[in-house]
Amino acid sequence: MADETQRPWWHDALIYQVYVRSFADANGDGIGDLDGIRSRLDHIASLGADAIWLNPCYPSPQRDHGYDVSNYFDIHDEYGTLDDFDALVSAADARGIKILMDLVPSHCSDEHRWFVAALAAAPGSPERARFYFRDGKGEHGEEPPNNWQAAFGGSAWTRINDDPNDGQWYLATFTPYQPDLDHTNPEVGQLFTEIFEFWFDRGVEGFRVDAVAGTGKHPDLPDQPPVGPDTGVLDITWQNPYSVFREEGHEAWRHFRASLDDYGQRHPDRELMMVAEAYAVRRPELIKKFTEPDQFDQMFSFDLMLTPWHKESIERAMQDPLEILESTGTPPAWTLNNHDIQRIVTRLGRSDADQPESWTNNNLALSGADADLALGERRSRAMAALIFALPGNLFLYQGEEFGLPEVLDIPADRREDPVFHRTDGAEIGRDGCRIPMPWTTDAATSYGFSTGRADGSVGEPWLPQPDGWGDRSLAALDDEAAPTLSLYRRLGDTRAKFAASQPMHATVFDGGPGVVAVRRGSLVVVVNPSAEAVELDLGRLGVSMDQVVLASEPLDAGSSTIPSDTTIWFVSSD
Ligand code: GLC
Ligand code: CA
């Protein structure tokens, strides 16, 4: 039998997501930066991380906080320099931590030199052919070329001017300042080949590839068919059959794969990877398609991130990714939080969180129900203990180890997310999961977020931190041996000890009423998502209480019940 521990690092790695702007600010201007990350590497290492995924840190006007790239070959000046980046890569490497970058191929910034050149060039020019420029409809071209909507609100088309000799429109799936690139143009593919080469040469081991769903369009750009009456404004885009999950996109990914493999062949010592980001929830056929051998290594499984706290929903959320692993060998990429989603502590603390219908495919939809944060944090611990046992990569998002909740009461004039502004505040957007991290209890340094000025002063943090944020800081939680942080640390160790040697194979099975049960080799994990303690059916589970190696809450000695909202790991010695 093959040695199960000899697999590429990215089959079962722990990857810590750093939202650069909000992680740590080493020069005191209120904005996170690369040196700040370097100063906090010990914390990331203490969780057992194998790699860090950096949210985009390329030069950018920051209108979508780096997802609007104006130059793919440099570092954003607020975050540092290429030298700072190199220093981060080597400091991480010294701790055995790899760096993944975030690649944004679907669109660039309207300040990217290509787009600036396209505006200056004529209709039909090669400069415009890197984007989707089209003439408008109507007598004077005053109407958009079709009815497509932008993902963050408004039309997907923007007219560049009213010039009767030009007056073309360009397509932008997210916001007008993120024009879509046309990947059927070979120049676009060539650009990304060069981007790979540039960052791989700097020691980056792979990429999280952004927004793969909307890359590639029907060549004729036909009108989107009518959507159902209940479709939310931010969902319309994702139901457009002519712009979402298109075969044209897969052509682009095959080119990416070829570029990555070409680099890999010239550097056989490297194990490079790319993971695709798209909301393919409950659509396993899509994950299979994106992870065909000529495309991505893996694709996020967002099912568990969006599932309600409900037995059958949790089971269902694991089954598709595990089935894909079984049939194609593609390791799942599990995650419970990211920079686009309401934090799990708030989400699972909501009074409707246990209702199967509160499942949503919309990453931005927020339930308005009240949240019990202590309950949500307890459930988040149970969820973390579940995913740490599963085969595949784990993507943790900064602050989940502190049990940070979503910050909901940000004043409108401090909100930054284009989702909020483009919908006139109808959607509150994603700022609440991007609040600068609390490291200490010292309010005068934005809770340790900002450091580095000789006079000790600090700039205002780019998003306001709520009162009491220091109670959730690393320093405060360390002192109290807080349950969430200490569980995350134990999980890293327990995973290394008991899960890493298990096969890349797991099954969800019937472990008795009320509980979710998963078996992976000699590891059995049981979750009780119900509001009551449950007497475990040890015979059916095939375990005994002396095999417990971890529990997300304290257990009663001598009892064989699992408390509510708790996860237990059992490991048999055979
Ligand atoms: C992805 C990113 C999100 C960004 C969007 C547009 O969904 O995760 O933050 O706004 O793509 O690039
Ligand atoms: Ca800074």
Side-chain angles (χ1 to χ4, degrees):
M1 201 175 117
D3 179 351
E4 284 289 351
T5 58
Q6 292 304 306
R7 41 198 180 220
W9 71 272
W10 49 265
H11 275 218
D12 57 350
L14 200 161
I15 300 172
Y16 186 91
Q17 179 190 352
V18 169
Y19 196 77
V20 181
R21 208 169 178 79
S22 300
F23 190 67
D25 163 27
N27 66 352
D29 64 355
I31 295 169
D33 45 51
L34 298 182
D35 282 354
I37 301 169
R38 191 151 55 94
S39 74
R40 292 286 176 192
L41 280 177
D42 286 341
H43 169 67
I44 299 174
S46 79
L47 300 170
D50 300 296
I52 293 171
W53 149 31
L54 296 175
N55 279 103
C57 49
Y58 315 97
S60 161
Q62 300 290 323
R63 298 193 70 176
D64 189 21
H65 299 115
Y67 288 98
D68 48 331
V69 179
S70 53
N71 175 4
Y72 291 89
F73 301 97
D74 204 345
I75 294 293
H76 180 58
D77 55 2
E78 290 172 314
Y79 298 163
T81 62
L82 282 170
D83 285 344
D84 298 335
F85 183 82
D86 294 343
L88 175 61
V89 171
S90 43
D93 184 58
R95 291 166 175 81
I97 296 175
K98 303 177 200 308
I99 301 287
L100 304 180
M101 297 277 274
D102 203 320
L103 194 61
V104 191
S106 132
H107 46 266
C108 60
S109 162
D110 60 348
E111 294 184 19
H112 189 279
R113 66 183 169 83
W114 273 9
F115 193 73
V116 174
L119 290 183
S125 61
E127 288 82 358
R128 289 208 179 167
R130 296 160 175 156
F131 300 92
Y132 293 91
F133 278 88
R134 296 291 183 276
D135 294 331
K137 287 186 179 158
E139 201 182 334
H140 306 289
E142 70 280 8
E143 284 166 33
N146 68 27
N147 67 352
W148 294 5
Q149 295 292 296
F152 293 167
S155 170
W157 293 94
T158 303
R159 195 175 193 191
I160 61 171
N161 59 47
D162 294 332
D163 180 347
N165 298 317
D166 180 349
Q168 280 200 312
W169 299 69
Y170 67 89
L171 180 64
T173 294
F174 288 90
T175 69
Y177 25 89
Q178 293 163 295
D180 284 7
L181 288 162
D182 183 349
H183 283 259
T184 63
N185 182 332
E187 283 185 46
V188 175
Q190 179 57 27
L191 171 69
F192 284 90
T193 303
E194 289 164 20
I195 294 168
F196 276 145
E197 190 91 12
F198 181 85
W199 293 104
F200 289 152
D201 277 352
R202 294 201 104 87
V204 165
E205 289 295 321
F207 287 95
R208 175 261 191 197
V209 182
D210 181 64
V212 300
T215 306
K217 332 278 172 196
H218 187 294
D220 303 335
L221 309 183
D223 269 346
Q224 175 173 6
V227 294
D230 297 333
T231 310
V233 54
L234 300 179
D235 274 339
I236 299 172
T237 302
W238 304 116
Q239 298 193 11
N240 185 349
Y242 302 126
S243 69
V244 175
F245 294 129
R246 299 283 313 168
E247 183 54 34
E248 292 83 356
H250 293 288
E251 273 307 313
W253 313 133
R254 289 184 191 107
H255 172 80
F256 277 45
R257 176 88 255 156
S259 300
L260 185 144
D261 285 349
D262 174 59
Y263 191 96
Q265 270 152 20
R266 285 179 282 123
H267 301 84
D269 53 321
R270 305 282 293 276
E271 278 186 317
L272 309 170
M273 64 87 84
M274 41 175 198
V275 51
E277 184 243 10
Y279 285 75
V281 175
R282 295 193 174 179
R283 297 183 66 183
E285 73 288 354
L286 281 176
I287 298 192
K288 285 186 181 167
K289 173 91 189 171
F290 275 88
T291 58
E292 283 175 0
D294 61 357
Q295 298 181 49
F296 290 94
D297 296 298
Q298 53 189 207
M299 184 166 179
F300 281 104
S301 294
F302 288 137
D303 304 54
L304 265 183
M305 182 171 76
L306 300 174
T307 189
W309 189 238
H310 168 262
K311 173 177 150 77
E312 283 78 19
S313 305
I314 296 169
E315 290 172 342
R316 169 75 204 265
M318 286 186 286
Q319 267 153 353
D320 287 343
L322 291 176
E323 188 280 316
I324 296 168
L325 170 64
E326 201 57 35
S327 60
T328 71
T330 301
W334 306 102
T335 189
L336 300 177
N337 290 280
N338 67 35
H339 65 292
D340 293 327
I341 300 292
Q342 181 174 165
R343 283 189 180 270
I344 188 172
V345 166
T346 303
R347 196 155 28 84
L348 291 188
R350 292 194 179 280
S351 52
D352 60 0
D354 58 356
Q355 301 301 308
E357 62 278 8
S358 56
W359 179 84
T360 167
N361 190 22
N362 179 350
N363 55 327
L364 298 171
L366 306 182
S367 152
D370 288 339
D372 172 342
L373 297 184
L375 178 66
E377 193 173 343
R378 180 180 171 114
R379 289 173 171 172
S380 81
R381 285 195 288 276
M383 202 61 131
L386 172 62
I387 67 164
F388 269 75
L390 300 176
N393 276 339
L394 304 180
F395 286 81
L396 308 184
Y397 176 49
Q398 66 183 42
E400 70 176 71
E401 72 278 25
F402 297 169
L404 295 184
E406 185 82 1
V407 177
L408 296 166
D409 56 355
I410 303 170
D413 63 355
R414 293 293 307 272
R415 286 199 178 269
E416 296 254 353
D417 186 357
V419 169
F420 179 81
H421 296 289
R422 303 276 310 155
T423 61
D424 292 327
E427 299 286 336
I428 66 169
R430 304 161 294 176
D431 295 315
C433 64
R434 302 173 175 178
I435 303 300
M437 288 276 278
W439 295 102
T440 70
T441 55
D442 176 20
T445 59
S446 306
Y447 305 108
F449 172 67
S450 286
T451 55
R453 286 189 185 158
D455 64 0
S457 69
V458 300
E460 184 150 19
W462 75 281
L463 284 173
Q465 298 164 306
D467 291 343
W469 205 228
D471 299 345
R472 300 204 172 249
S473 66
L474 176 65
L477 301 175
D478 251 346
D479 279 357
E480 287 167 18
T484 301
L485 179 59
S486 57
L487 177 70
Y488 268 85
R489 288 182 174 152
R490 262 188 302 140
L491 279 172
D493 293 342
T494 313
R495 180 171 184 265
K497 197 161 162 205
F498 296 108
S501 53
Q502 303 294 346
M504 288 293 286
H505 165 80
T507 42
V508 177
F509 69 100
D510 177 9
V515 299
V516 174
V518 185
R519 176 175 288 109
R520 180 179 176 198
S522 54
L523 172 63
V524 171
V525 176
V526 183
V527 186
N528 176 9
S530 73
E532 312 295 330
V534 172
E535 183 67 31
L536 289 170
D537 185 340
L538 296 173
R540 195 193 301 222
L541 289 164
V543 299
S544 62
M545 291 310 285
D546 57 12
Q547 294 171 339
V548 172
V549 296
L550 179 132
S552 64
E553 303 299 328
L555 303 180
D556 287 340
S559 136
S560 55
T561 59
I562 179 168
S564 72
D565 302 321
T566 298
T567 295
I568 303 180
W569 289 34
F570 300 86
V571 176
S572 62
S573 43
D574 55 33

